[in-house]
Amino acid sequence: MTTETTTETHTPRAPTARAFLATDRFRLGLMVVVSAAVYSVLGLVKLATFRASIFDLVIFDQAVRNYAHFRPPYIPAVGAFHGRGLDYLQIVDHFSPIWAVLAPLYWIHDGPGTLIVAQALLFAAAIPPLWLFTRRVLGVVPAYLVALAYALSWPVAQAIAFDAHEVMFVPVLTAVMIERYHAGRPLPAYLAMAALLLVKEDMGLMVIGFGMYLFAIGDRLRGVCCAAIGVGGTLLTRGAIIPMLGGDTADFWAYNHLGPDVGGALLGIARDPLAALLMVFDDEAKVDTLFLLAWPTLLLCLLSPLSLVALPHVLERMLSDRALWWQADFQYSAFTVVILFCAGIDGLSRLLRWLGRDGDRTLGLAWASGVLLVAITLVPRFALDQLYHPAFYKGDEVKIAAAREAVAKIPDGAVVEAANSFGPALSGRTTVLLWTARPNDAEWVVADRDRWEFPFGSAEEQRKQIDTLFTQGYTQVYERDGVVVLHRPPS
């Protein structure tokens, strides 16, 4: 191991974890609890006011409920949507067996609200390891400032605001992976790294990035091994497990402009690497997102090889043909948020060494204060802004009243096609399918005539579909303010 590796992974080791527990556990615990409570409020209010969705909250709710009942993780909502049957497996849609660890929570409370609270706790759980990493490099006060900046960060806010997703596991796992390696405790770091492979089929890319980082700092043997594990994990899940269980990896192949498959895409990039590089910046949305990813660290993440851990996942997004993946909206940026905060901390440390001011606590404090200020100034632009507007807690009161009455008409155990925002209210006691223009012959349908619902193109299309259902033998058993319940007895 080189001198640089020794410096980065083994010094300084003080203060010890015991000192941390004795002096700071209350304040950190309070930060975790408050953050989790705030995140929970955001998600639970949206759930209670019919602003959550079947795609994707109900999908994962169905998977975890099946795990909790010791059944395969069927997700009938997705299976019906793709025409692949109600016994479609979640690990075929996305390889995320890590959802099984949440199953015991459903023994306490069975419903999508459980996922929202679990997500809040997991995002908040990244705060202590991030604090430990920052304290080791910059000191105690900067550690609190950076931890608070993460808690307020826009990638976390956007992920929390959009239902629940497998990304909830990634910040804490990446924080543990980076912090424990930096502390000279590789075993828990590698265990966290291995757990990433259970989060999603593309997390092998992040493991490859971790291997690139280790190689760059001189820990070459371990770096090569980690990169090989990442490659192997990606090939195993995408190339073997998903197809073996009946999935189609083409569902999420978004690189036909580069090649028909992974090999073809890599060959296409090798033929014209400059064009591939320019593709990363060829859209204004991409540039905005890339800047927003780096700006919370005052761009200092760009000075650290730790950014290599995030690089493959960022390239996966920016080289794709899916415009949603480029956006700063939704949950995608939360996959790399902790990595980039750690890279910013490391980048500052390197900058101070280059300037001959290694250990300058004043500059460290100034940078951490700036990072927190940036996080605060970005709050009004993203989802946490809703929390201090009274209208957020009210929602569309007309729709809410009608929707509550409508879902109450559906009997327990029924199979129901529901408009996207109505499904979460039914998921705990029925089999929910997404209401679309392609009927699934469910006995019950809960629809909306007047308000647009995914995946329809307009409310007018929804009204036409309701008229079509009448011709197929459905009768209307409820209507209020555009919300309708249709029923067709089984033949």
Side-chain angles (χ1 to χ4, degrees):
M1 188 178 291
T2 66
T3 302
E4 181 171 355
T5 303
T6 303
T7 300
E8 294 213 12
T9 60
H10 294 290
T11 60
R13 291 288 298 278
T16 65
R18 181 172 297 178
F20 151 64
L21 290 173
T23 60
D24 293 294
R25 59 183 176 182
F26 174 77
R27 281 173 287 184
L28 269 181
L30 182 62
M31 188 181 296
V32 168
V33 169
V34 171
S35 298
V38 170
Y39 302 155
S40 296
V41 167
L42 181 57
L44 292 174
V45 167
K46 295 190 76 171
L47 176 63
T49 54
F50 292 86
R51 283 176 281 178
S53 60
I54 295 175
F55 276 40
D56 295 319
L57 181 58
V58 168
I59 295 172
F60 301 123
D61 176 60
Q62 290 176 338
V64 178
R65 177 173 297 104
N66 279 311
Y67 278 126
H69 289 86
F70 304 101
R71 298 189 297 255
Y74 298 126
I75 46 173
V78 177
F81 184 76
H82 290 304
R84 296 175 184 170
L86 302 191
D87 57 352
Y88 190 65
L89 293 169
Q90 192 281 320
I91 54 176
V92 166
D93 185 52
H94 284 300
F95 185 74
S96 305
I98 198 167
W99 285 112
V101 305
L102 300 185
L105 299 179
Y106 272 55
W107 305 338
I108 301 170
H109 179 269
D110 186 339
T114 299
L115 288 188
I116 290 172
V117 174
Q119 177 170 260
L121 290 168
L122 283 166
F123 272 115
I127 290 173
L130 178 61
W131 183 91
L132 283 169
F133 181 85
T134 312
R135 183 191 63 166
R136 189 178 301 116
V137 179
L138 301 180
V140 173
V141 176
Y144 282 109
L145 298 178
V146 171
L148 185 56
Y150 160 79
L152 295 172
S153 65
W154 70 266
V156 173
Q158 295 308 101
I160 288 293
F162 185 46
D163 294 342
H165 295 86
E166 63 280 318
V167 69
M168 69 173 72
F169 299 97
V170 176
V172 65
L173 289 176
T174 52
V176 170
M177 180 178 72
I178 292 170
E179 188 279 325
R180 287 292 82 192
Y181 181 84
H182 185 265
R185 296 284 188 261
L187 180 58
Y190 297 142
L191 291 174
M193 182 194 77
L196 284 172
L197 296 174
L198 304 178
V199 172
K200 199 177 179 185
E201 67 278 359
D202 63 351
M203 286 295 95
L205 297 177
M206 195 168 286
V207 175
I208 293 170
F210 187 60
M212 292 164 57
Y213 161 68
L214 298 186
F215 192 89
I217 65 171
D219 196 353
R220 291 186 174 86
L221 178 59
R222 289 174 176 172
V224 170
C225 290
C226 289
I229 291 170
V231 171
T234 302
L235 293 177
L236 180 64
T237 54
R238 293 186 64 90
I241 296 176
I242 291 177
M244 180 180 67
L245 295 175
D248 187 349
T249 55
D251 288 345
F252 296 99
W253 181 249
Y255 309 94
N256 285 313
H257 55 294
L258 296 174
D261 51 30
V262 174
L266 292 175
L267 186 59
I269 292 172
R271 287 194 187 112
D272 195 347
L274 180 59
L277 177 63
L278 294 176
M279 194 182 300
V280 176
F281 307 98
D282 66 2
D283 188 277
E284 184 178 351
K286 294 181 181 181
V287 176
D288 287 346
T289 298
L290 289 170
F291 177 76
L292 281 168
L293 286 171
W295 179 234
T297 68
L298 303 181
L299 308 183
L300 291 192
C301 62
L302 302 177
L303 300 181
S304 170
L306 268 171
S307 291
L308 292 171
V309 185
L311 181 62
H313 190 270
V314 172
L315 290 177
E316 179 190 26
R317 295 174 61 189
M318 299 304 157
L319 292 175
S320 76
D321 60 11
R322 310 273 173 100
L324 286 179
W325 293 6
W326 314 337
Q327 308 293 327
D329 296 327
F330 308 115
Q331 75 276 16
Y332 305 112
S333 296
F335 282 97
T336 53
V337 60
V338 164
I339 300 168
L340 295 176
F341 268 113
C342 291
I345 295 158
D346 182 59
L348 174 64
S349 177
R350 290 170 180 273
L351 179 62
L352 293 177
R353 289 201 300 271
W354 296 336
L355 296 175
R357 302 186 66 174
D358 191 17
D360 189 326
R361 296 299 189 184
T362 302
L363 287 179
L365 179 60
W367 175 82
S369 299
V371 164
L372 177 57
L373 181 62
V374 167
I376 293 171
T377 59
L378 288 175
V379 166
R381 180 173 171 180
F382 294 99
L384 291 180
D385 174 71
Q386 301 171 89
L387 291 170
Y388 46 82
H389 293 292
F392 168 69
Y393 300 92
K394 295 179 181 179
D396 183 342
E397 294 177 319
V398 173
K399 173 185 175 180
I400 292 168
R404 285 175 177 165
E405 291 180 2
V407 298
K409 302 291 183 181
I410 309 301
D412 292 353
V415 177
V416 55
E417 292 180 55
N420 193 39
S421 63
F422 298 160
L426 289 161
S427 186
R429 60 185 184 85
T430 68
T431 298
V432 173
L433 312 179
L434 181 65
W435 178 52
T436 70
R438 184 181 64 189
N440 288 293
D441 296 323
E443 185 177 349
W444 296 87
V445 176
V446 183
D448 197 326
R449 293 180 181 275
D450 299 338
R451 305 164 191 85
W452 172 79
E453 293 278 354
F454 172 83
F456 291 93
S458 65
E460 177 61 28
E461 290 184 14
Q462 293 166 207
R463 287 190 285 272
K464 290 180 180 178
Q465 179 58 22
I466 292 172
D467 292 339
T468 298
L469 292 174
F470 285 136
T471 68
Q472 296 173 352
Y474 285 88
T475 58
Q476 181 173 293
V477 298
Y478 174 84
E479 191 281 329
R480 176 179 172 183
D481 296 312
V483 177
V484 299
V485 176
L486 307 179
H487 179 242
R488 185 178 67 182
S491 56

